[in-house]
């Protein structure tokens, strides 16, 4: 009966947790117009917090420091936007020449298909027209969704700076809210959890910005070596697309590859662009990001990919950007709650023990499911016996050396015993006077 009650209680708690999760996701989905600006504001305020603290140390006032920090962020983002728009306009001036080269590339491709596979040009054009008609059918929906989201984008451009200012200005007020909300939890634990969330998110954001700068330089160097025009633009644009984890650099390589295909005489330039970007992505994923971000943002790749897919389903493009910092925050919260600690462990990265050849045996021994193999016990016994034999040998050597020392003293004479005692020098006690 007790086991049935425990299983029923566990099933009810699990069902209630799943129901609560579904309700939270539904609320986030239907209130995305407010939630998304708020989430972006939280990330930006965490990133701007050190700058606001610097201005406060200069005694500029808390409100003015928050406003100045937000202005700095607006200037930087506006500069990046101006750079992308200006370079796009410059590239658009040569659109006619690029279009002519693209048409010549298509004609050469048609001729190659006809000579190699016997496919007539009319069939190729018919397939292209068919795919074009299918794409045009969806243009209306895409345009309506795009123009429909312009209002939300404009609202976000106003709400994000406003939310960011209040999050910086009222940060101590919000911290006390968490102390009051979790009054049954030790205040030190709440304080440590908030600091941990701040450290994780800030490490992710600052590390991401640093990695984006390094990747922009590497992309630009590769494009310059290949002789691709507007190398800085394409290299920087590809690095900015790293906001989309795992797929950003791959998407960013498409535009310079098409541009190289349209402006160069050989298709090998486009292949070289794609190959170089793949090399940069390999360096970023295996060398640059692990050394810069470190182990503070410890999310295993499987959970990261699932989080990105779910974020894209719920929030679209913004969900792809917010997925990893949100999952990192959720992991910190789960680690702080004893009942959710297992799920925090599931999100984190595996230990070295989990990836070894005999990891299953080690795991079963760790949790006491199986005993330690007898072979290891024999090894331990043999090692102990060898150690005891070595100790006995050392004792024999020490005793033999002592015996040899005594024998030598008997032959030579002990220097301490060669000298007579003070009583033998003069038996008369008055002789000492």
């Amino acid at each position: 009966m007790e086991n049935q009650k425990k299983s029923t209680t566990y099933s009810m708690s699990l069902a209630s947790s799943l129901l609560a999760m579904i309700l939270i996701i539904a609320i986030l989905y239907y209130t995305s117009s407010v939630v998304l600006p708020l989430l972006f504001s939280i990330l930006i305020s965490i990133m701007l917090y050190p700058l606001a603290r610097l201005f406060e140390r200069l005694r500029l006032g808390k409100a003015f420091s928050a406003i100045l920090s937000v202005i700095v962020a607006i200037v930087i983002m506006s500069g990046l936007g101006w750079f992308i728009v200006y370079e796009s306009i410059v590239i658009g001036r040569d659109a006619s020449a690029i279009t002519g080269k693209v048409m010549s590339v298509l004609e050469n491709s048609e001729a190659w298909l006809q000579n190699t596979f016997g496919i007539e040009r009319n069939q190729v054009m018919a397939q292209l027209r068919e795919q074009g008609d299918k794409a045009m059918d969806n243009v209306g929906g895409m345009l309506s969704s795009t123009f429909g989201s312009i209002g939300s984008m404009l609202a976000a451009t106003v709400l994000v700076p406003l939310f960011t200012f209040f999050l910086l200005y009222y940060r101590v007020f919000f911290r006390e809210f968490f102390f009051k909300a979790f009054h049954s939890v030790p205040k030190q634990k709440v304080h440590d959890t908030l600091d941990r969330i701040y450290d994780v998110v800030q490490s992710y954001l600052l590390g991401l910005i640093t990695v984006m700068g390094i990747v922009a330089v590497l992309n630009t160097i590769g494009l310059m070596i290949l002789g691709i025009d507007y190398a800085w633009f394409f290299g920087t644009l590809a690095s900015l697309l790293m906001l989309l984890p795992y797929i950003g650099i791959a998407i960013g390589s498409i535009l310079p590859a098409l541009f190289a295909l349209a402006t160069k005489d050989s298709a090998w330039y486009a292949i070289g662009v794609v190959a170089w970007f793949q090399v940069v992505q390999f360096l970023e994923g295996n060398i640059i990001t692990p050394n810069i971000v470190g182990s503070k943002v410890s999310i295993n790749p499987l959970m990261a990919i699932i989080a990105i897919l779910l974020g894209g389903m719920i929030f679209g493009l913004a969900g792809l950007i917010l997925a990893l910092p949100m999952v990192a925050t959720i992991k910190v919260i789960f680690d702080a709650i004893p009942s959710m600690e297992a799920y925090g462990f599931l999100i984190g990265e595996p230990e070295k023990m989990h990836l070894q050849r005999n990891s299953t045996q080690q795991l079963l021994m760790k949790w006491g499911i199986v005993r330690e193999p007898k072979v290891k016990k024999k090894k331990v016994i043999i090692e102990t016996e060898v150690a005891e034999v070595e100790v006995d040998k050392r004792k024999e050597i020490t005793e033999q050396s002592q015996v040899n020392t005594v024998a030598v003293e008997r032959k030579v004479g002990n220097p301490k015993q060669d000298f007579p005692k003070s009583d033998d020098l003069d038996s008369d006690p008055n002789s000492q006077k």
Side-chain angles (χ1 to χ4, degrees), residues 226-423:
L226 292 172
I228 307 298
D229 296 332
Y230 309 107
W232 272 109
F233 169 72
F234 289 118
T236 305
L237 183 62
S239 67
L240 292 176
L241 290 174
M242 285 183 61
L243 291 171
L244 307 177
Y246 298 103
I247 59 174
I249 297 180
I251 295 175
S253 64
I254 296 175
L255 287 177
L258 293 175
F259 185 80
L261 188 65
T263 56
K264 296 295 181 180
D265 297 332
S266 176
W268 288 105
Y269 287 95
I271 297 174
V273 170
V274 175
W276 176 252
F277 275 63
Q278 294 302 314
V279 170
V280 173
Q281 186 173 14
F282 175 80
L283 295 175
E284 179 269 329
N286 296 277
I287 297 175
I288 300 174
T289 299
N291 290 326
I292 292 177
V293 178
S295 60
K296 288 189 176 181
V297 186
S298 56
I299 303 172
N300 66 75
L302 177 61
M303 291 294 110
I305 294 172
I306 293 174
I308 291 169
L309 294 176
L310 292 176
M313 290 175 61
I314 298 172
F315 295 129
L317 182 62
L320 300 178
I321 300 173
L322 294 170
L324 291 186
M326 292 302 298
V327 171
T329 303
I330 292 172
K331 182 185 182 307
V332 174
I333 296 173
F334 283 175
D335 290 339
I337 301 174
S339 60
M340 305 297 291
E341 189 175 358
Y343 300 99
F345 173 80
L346 180 63
I347 297 174
E349 290 184 351
E351 300 176 358
K352 292 183 179 180
M353 182 268 293
H354 300 116
L355 306 177
Q356 293 178 355
R357 182 177 57 85
N358 57 343
S359 58
T360 303
Q361 186 71 16
Q362 293 184 12
L363 179 65
L364 296 178
M365 288 190 297
K366 176 182 177 181
W367 290 93
I369 298 175
V370 298
R371 295 181 179 179
E372 191 175 356
K374 296 181 179 180
V375 178
K376 291 188 175 181
K377 292 183 178 180
K378 290 181 179 179
K379 288 183 178 180
V380 173
I381 294 171
I382 292 171
E383 290 176 357
T384 306
E385 292 177 353
V386 170
E388 291 177 355
V389 170
E390 290 181 354
V391 171
D392 293 337
K393 287 183 178 180
R394 290 177 182 175
K395 288 182 179 179
E396 291 178 359
I397 293 171
T398 304
E399 292 175 355
Q400 187 65 33
S401 62
Q402 291 177 355
V403 171
N404 295 334
T405 304
V406 173
V408 171
E409 289 177 353
R410 288 178 179 176
K411 290 181 180 180
V412 179
N414 193 346
K416 294 181 180 180
Q417 294 179 359
D418 291 341
F419 293 98
K421 296 182 180 179
S422 59
D423 295 337

Side-chain angles (χ1 to χ4, degrees), residues 11-65:
S11 301
M12 291 296 294
S13 62
L14 180 62
S16 60
S17 299
L18 292 175
L19 181 61
M21 186 180 299
I22 293 172
L23 290 176
I24 290 172
I25 293 173
I27 292 171
L28 292 177
Y29 177 77
Y30 287 106
T31 60
S32 59
S33 59
V34 177
V35 171
L36 286 179
L38 180 60
L39 293 177
F40 277 109
S41 301
I42 292 172
L43 296 181
I44 295 173
S45 62
I46 290 175
M47 188 168 55
L48 293 178
Y49 173 71
L51 184 62
R53 287 289 297 163
L54 176 62
F55 291 147
E56 289 176 7
R57 292 191 188 99
L58 298 177
R59 298 182 179 180
L60 297 179
K62 201 167 186 178
F64 185 70
S65 298

Side-chain angles (χ1 to χ4, degrees), residues 57-105:
R57 292 191 188 99
L58 298 177
R59 298 182 179 180
L60 297 179
K62 201 167 186 178
F64 185 70
S65 298
I67 293 173
L68 196 58
S69 301
V70 173
I71 291 173
V72 170
I74 293 173
V75 170
I76 294 174
M77 294 180 182
S78 301
L80 287 174
W82 175 84
F83 173 73
I84 294 172
V85 172
Y86 175 77
E87 290 294 330
S88 301
I89 294 172
V90 171
I91 295 173
R93 293 174 183 173
D94 301 329
S96 59
I98 294 174
T99 303
K101 290 186 177 182
V102 170
M103 294 304 296
S104 65
V105 169

Side-chain angles (χ1 to χ4, degrees), residues 106-360:
L106 289 176
E107 291 178 358
N108 294 330
S109 301
E110 290 176 359
W112 179 78
L113 289 173
Q114 184 176 3
N115 296 328
T116 305
F117 301 102
I119 300 175
E120 296 182 0
R121 298 187 179 184
N122 295 331
Q123 294 179 357
V124 176
M125 295 303 297
Q127 290 292 330
L128 290 176
R129 289 193 185 95
E130 184 179 355
Q131 295 298 325
D133 293 337
K134 290 181 179 179
M136 290 300 295
D137 293 337
N138 298 324
V139 168
M142 293 173 62
L143 289 176
S144 61
S145 62
T146 301
F147 285 107
S149 62
I150 287 178
S152 61
M153 291 174 62
L154 293 176
T157 56
V158 177
L159 291 177
V160 170
L162 187 63
F163 287 168
T164 304
F165 165 74
F166 284 112
L167 288 172
L168 289 172
Y169 188 49
Y170 291 156
R171 59 182 184 270
V172 179
F173 172 75
F174 292 130
R175 183 177 286 266
E176 186 172 2
F177 160 75
F178 287 107
F179 288 154
K180 290 179 176 293
F182 301 98
H183 58 88
S184 60
V185 181
K187 300 301 180 287
Q188 185 63 40
K189 188 173 183 178
V190 176
H191 176 74
D192 294 339
T193 303
L194 293 175
D195 288 344
R196 177 63 179 164
I197 293 172
Y198 168 77
D199 291 337
V200 168
V201 176
Q202 190 187 48
S203 299
Y204 172 77
L205 295 175
L206 296 179
L208 180 62
I209 293 173
T210 306
V211 172
M212 287 169 62
I214 296 173
V215 169
V217 173
L218 293 176
N219 291 339
T220 304
I221 291 173
L223 294 175
M224 286 182 175
I225 293 173
L226 292 172
I228 307 298
D229 296 332
Y230 309 107
W232 272 109
F233 169 72
F234 289 118
T236 305
L237 183 62
S239 67
L240 292 176
L241 290 174
M242 285 183 61
L243 291 171
L244 307 177
Y246 298 103
I247 59 174
I249 297 180
I251 295 175
S253 64
I254 296 175
L255 287 177
L258 293 175
F259 185 80
L261 188 65
T263 56
K264 296 295 181 180
D265 297 332
S266 176
W268 288 105
Y269 287 95
I271 297 174
V273 170
V274 175
W276 176 252
F277 275 63
Q278 294 302 314
V279 170
V280 173
Q281 186 173 14
F282 175 80
L283 295 175
E284 179 269 329
N286 296 277
I287 297 175
I288 300 174
T289 299
N291 290 326
I292 292 177
V293 178
S295 60
K296 288 189 176 181
V297 186
S298 56
I299 303 172
N300 66 75
L302 177 61
M303 291 294 110
I305 294 172
I306 293 174
I308 291 169
L309 294 176
L310 292 176
M313 290 175 61
I314 298 172
F315 295 129
L317 182 62
L320 300 178
I321 300 173
L322 294 170
L324 291 186
M326 292 302 298
V327 171
T329 303
I330 292 172
K331 182 185 182 307
V332 174
I333 296 173
F334 283 175
D335 290 339
I337 301 174
S339 60
M340 305 297 291
E341 189 175 358
Y343 300 99
F345 173 80
L346 180 63
I347 297 174
E349 290 184 351
E351 300 176 358
K352 292 183 179 180
M353 182 268 293
H354 300 116
L355 306 177
Q356 293 178 355
R357 182 177 57 85
N358 57 343
S359 58
T360 303

